[in-house]
Amino acid sequence: MPRPACPPVIDLDRRVVCLFGLPFDVTDLAGAVQAVREAARTGRRCWVSTPNLNFVIAAREDAAFRRSVLLSQLNLVDGMPLVWAARLLGLPVRERVAGSDLFEALSRGDPDEPVKVYFYGGPQGAAQAACERLNERGGGLRCVGFESPGFGTLDSMSTPQTRQRIDAAGADFVVVALGAKKGQAWIARNHPHLQAPVISHLGAVVNFEAGTVRRAPAAWRRFGLEWLWRIGQEPALWKRYARDAAAALPLLVGSLLPLWWARRRRAPAVLDVRVEPAGPSCGHRVRLAGWARADNLGPLREALKQALRCPQPLEIELSGLHDLDAEAMGLLLLAQARQLLSGQPLRVSGATPALRRRIVQHGCADLLEGEGETGPRP
């Protein structure tokens, strides 16, 4: 009997931090495995994104790509450069959680209650080989189908017939391998119409499972050298890594160093939050004053949940706010994602010039479009 499709939601109780403009869940590998298994069991939508440095850079250049990460229900830190940046900023990022590690950990689960996987994408023949090898090995994952659509357009890959084939297989978890941008776009278009609750773009997983590419040894991954190993396996990747390294320099100067310097100053733990009507048919206004940081966000979280109990416009008024840290910025990103998902507007108003600079340093200049901050991000 077909599983009823649950609507996608953005959970405002998630603990996330903002790093280079993207929200990352504060979790570890065990927590990610638990979240995926629970979603597969209950049918709750769980779009898992695994941003690395390449994702971060692409998201700063492509609004639709960034939106795909904002709308994901679980964002994992997949890249040691991001882990190092988070640690420099004192963020509670426990460890790197690569998509390949997540898949491998799921495969070690209970074979009597396997998560049913469907591979979509990858080089010709790789998805079939991955499916066969996964089922031969047994364990906590069982492949129920595969498809290699080749290099078609997004439209040609997003037909009702494609979704019907995936639904007919009874998958819990759709593993997509189409290239990061195309894969995220495919998920954004198709996941709301699929019965499978869990979905993620894990391009390398298909090749690893098929045996066409060997993953780097654990020591290489631990010291952040997996990129070097992958170049040895797939030499064409050196161009991508070179571009990413060049694009990372502005991030270091314009974002990471200013935020590192700012965290050296201890701000008062005072945050005043008020919710009020914004006018007839205008939703709610949430007023913030003081300093928003990790240890005082409870009232803000409750205020946003109250204001967004029903789909409606939201204004966040910041004229009394002096500063906000990465966790406070992450919570505002969840509110932004909730509004994007519901099709309702979010307006940020009243930010002082100093606060506007801080929001830009966090990588969230798009929130300030109504404040005159429409130029390129640092």
Side-chain angles (χ1 to χ4, degrees):
M1 185 174 182
R3 184 204 333 251
C6 297
V9 296
I10 299 297
D11 183 6
L12 293 173
D13 284 320
R14 284 165 63 192
R15 187 184 181 191
V16 300
V17 297
C18 174
L19 185 61
F20 300 129
L22 299 180
F24 289 91
D25 287 81
V26 177
T27 189
D28 55 13
L29 180 59
V33 169
Q34 181 180 353
V36 169
R37 286 197 168 278
E38 182 68 12
R41 184 183 67 83
T42 62
R44 177 176 51 82
R45 295 282 176 185
C46 186
W47 178 354
V48 184
S49 287
T50 57
N52 53 20
L53 183 60
N54 181 257
F55 259 65
V56 166
I57 292 167
R60 295 174 77 83
E61 300 169 349
D62 186 328
F65 187 65
R66 179 171 181 263
R67 175 188 170 111
S68 75
V69 181
L70 290 178
L71 294 181
S72 300
Q73 283 81 32
L74 181 63
N75 290 321
L76 305 175
V77 179
D78 184 356
M80 286 308 298
L82 299 185
V83 173
W84 295 330
R87 289 175 181 170
L88 183 68
L89 297 178
L91 305 183
V93 172
R94 303 174 190 177
E95 60 185 39
R96 178 195 181 200
V97 184
S100 302
D101 291 329
L102 173 62
F103 194 85
E104 184 179 323
L106 287 167
S107 72
R108 295 194 296 266
D110 185 356
D112 294 328
E113 297 182 5
V115 174
K116 292 174 286 185
V117 176
Y118 192 102
F119 290 115
Y120 186 83
Q124 196 64 35
Q128 179 177 354
C131 185
E132 293 171 352
R133 285 165 62 100
L134 183 65
N135 288 342
E136 286 172 4
R137 189 167 69 245
L141 294 174
R142 178 164 62 88
C143 182
V144 295
F146 59 87
E147 189 168 344
S148 297
F151 298 97
T153 65
L154 192 60
D155 287 338
S156 69
M157 295 180 182
S158 303
T159 63
Q161 292 77 15
T162 298
R163 295 190 288 268
Q164 288 167 8
R165 288 193 295 271
I166 297 173
D167 287 345
D172 302 312
F173 184 6
V174 180
V175 175
V176 182
L178 298 173
K181 284 192 176 183
K182 193 173 188 178
Q184 291 286 106
W186 188 90
I187 293 172
R189 182 176 298 191
N190 292 281
H191 192 214
H193 309 292
L194 290 170
Q195 292 176 7
V198 185
I199 196 164
S200 185
H201 184 272
L202 303 175
V205 162
V206 174
N207 290 327
F208 292 156
E209 288 297 321
T212 56
V213 175
R214 286 197 307 139
R215 196 177 180 200
W220 288 60
R221 303 199 300 267
R222 187 166 54 252
F223 291 106
L225 295 174
E226 187 167 11
W227 62 274
L228 188 58
W229 176 274
R230 289 198 63 187
I231 288 176
Q233 296 277 302
E234 304 170 80
L237 286 175
W238 78 266
K239 293 182 180 179
R240 192 193 90 180
Y241 288 122
R243 287 195 300 267
D244 289 349
L249 184 58
L251 292 179
L252 175 66
V253 175
S255 179
L256 189 59
L257 292 181
L259 292 175
W260 170 79
W261 183 256
R263 80 174 278 256
R264 293 163 58 91
R265 301 193 303 273
R266 188 66 177 170
V270 179
L271 177 64
D272 181 64
V273 183
R274 300 182 185 181
V275 183
E276 58 191 37
S281 304
C282 295
H284 282 84
R285 178 184 298 114
V286 177
R287 290 186 181 273
L288 303 183
W291 288 262
R293 66 186 206 189
D295 55 2
N296 65 11
L297 294 180
L300 174 57
R301 196 180 303 274
E302 292 305 313
L304 291 173
K305 288 160 69 174
Q306 176 187 339
L308 298 177
R309 188 170 290 119
C310 299
Q312 58 185 329
L314 174 65
E315 179 183 351
I316 300 178
E317 211 280 335
L318 302 178
S319 60
L321 191 68
H322 301 297
D323 206 350
L324 76 170
D325 70 5
E327 286 205 46
M329 194 73 249
L331 185 52
L332 295 187
L333 288 181
L334 291 182
Q336 181 185 21
R338 175 74 74 93
Q339 293 302 85
L340 286 171
L341 192 60
S342 65
Q344 294 292 328
L346 170 66
R347 179 171 179 260
V348 174
S349 64
T352 65
L355 187 60
R356 290 202 298 269
R357 285 194 296 272
R358 179 72 74 236
I359 293 172
V360 171
Q361 289 164 0
H362 280 300
C364 301
D366 62 308
L367 284 174
L368 297 167
E369 289 178 355
E371 295 280 300
E373 292 282 349
T374 58
R377 291 173 292 226

